[in-house]
Amino acid sequence: MQGKKVYQEQLFNSFWLSDRVPPTNFYRRLKEALNLDFLYDLTRGFYGSSGQKSIDPVVFFKLCLV
């Protein structure tokens, strides 16, 4: 069956999610407190060089942490 795109006007033309998140948000404070850039070097050997990109190791660690 062939699909057909139904055009719908966008509800928000300029919307920035980061403007809507308060500065006291837990994840904003976590980002300020933790620098997890060292994970890129530690996990480089576990990632291949071909195929689809996998999840960011920093994102994965934060998901496990929280």
Side-chain angles (χ1 to χ4, degrees):
M1 179 165 57
Q2 183 181 17
K4 184 175 181 179
K5 172 75 174 154
V6 178
Y7 178 76
Q8 183 176 358
E9 200 64 38
Q10 286 187 334
L11 181 60
F12 300 106
N13 288 331
S14 61
F15 179 83
W16 299 99
L17 183 60
S18 58
D19 290 343
R20 305 296 195 266
V21 178
T24 57
N25 179 275
F26 172 75
Y27 296 102
R28 279 191 188 262
R29 293 182 13 221
L30 182 66
K31 183 178 180 181
E32 293 172 2
L34 287 178
N35 182 5
L36 299 174
D37 288 340
F38 68 93
L39 289 174
Y40 293 113
D41 292 332
L42 289 177
T43 58
R44 185 169 286 129
F46 299 106
Y47 286 84
S49 59
S50 63
Q52 291 184 337
K53 290 186 177 182
S54 183
I55 188 169
D56 188 320
V58 171
V59 172
F60 182 74
F61 183 78
K62 285 180 183 179
L63 287 171
C64 293
L65 180 68
V66 173

